[in-house]
Amino acid sequence: DRGRLLFAQESIFVKGVVAMSGLPPADRIEVCFAGRSNVGKSTLINALTGTKALARASNTPGRTQEINYFAQGPDLYLVDLPGYGYANAPLPVVEKWQKLLKQYLSGRPTLRRAFVLIDARHGVKKVDEEIMALLDSAAVTFQCVLTKTDKVKAAERDKVLGQVRGALSKHPAAYPELILTSSEKGDGIATLRAIIAGLV
Ligand code: GTP
Ligand code: MG
């Protein structure tokens, strides 16, 4: 299938970007991974690309501090974003990367879809709502990915799913289909690969 073929190609780190002027030429489609610090963005990119440490992940919120570009074959970029919300880094530094994050999410012409990651234990928080509102105004289609589903029991997960669905219904730019993932167990990874392949 197309998802498997796309991700069978090599994944290459292109660059870390710290200002809009540093973005690579907008010459191909890209998808980005946004979400609160520590939600599992970098880990999800590693799971998708079948690598262990292509994107740097850690248990410290605020690990990713630049916009990291990965080429997935010749036609697609995967974009790992810094987290929003609490980060274990000095405030002026955090403010700088939050500003860049917002500029990127509302001003990148080749951004085809933003995946907004939501922790399966926590659901949609106020900071997520703010990012979703930003994506609405920028008319960037976004799709929610529940992460760390291995950490919750089915009943708790279903409760969170209801909360997420309710939150999404208020956002015109939200694509209604949710993707449930566990980077730890590999759940939902093939599904997400196929969705991304469908966008290229
Ligand atoms: P920032 O770069 O700080 O914004 O964080 P991030 O969203 O990139 O999170 P990261 O991928 O660094 O993961 C944070 C922590 O969550 C790490 O310790 C991961 O191992 C863990 N983690 C990520 N995904 C999963 C998952 O599906 N299941 C479990 N159990 N742990 C996960
Ligand atoms: Mg990260």
Side-chain angles (χ1 to χ4, degrees), residues 98-118:
Q98 298 295 307
K99 189 177 160 219
L100 174 65
L101 172 74
K102 290 181 179 170
Q103 287 174 333
Y104 168 79
L105 286 176
S106 53
R108 181 66 169 166
T110 41
L111 177 56
R112 184 74 171 74
R113 184 166 299 182
F115 291 100
V116 177
L117 277 56
I118 302 291

Side-chain angles (χ1 to χ4, degrees), residues 14-15 17 19-32 67-70 76-79 81 100-114 134-135 138-141:
V14 177
K15 71 185 297 196
V17 174
M20 288 297 276
S21 57
L23 291 173
D27 60 359
R28 66 188 87 177
I29 279 168
E30 62 198 55
V31 296
C32 71
I67 297 181
N68 286 318
Y69 271 79
F70 303 94
L76 176 72
Y77 283 131
L78 304 173
V79 181
L81 296 172
L100 174 65
L101 172 74
K102 290 181 179 170
Q103 287 174 333
Y104 168 79
L105 286 176
S106 53
R108 181 66 169 166
T110 41
L111 177 56
R112 184 74 171 74
R113 184 166 299 182
L134 178 86
L135 293 166
V140 173
T141 305

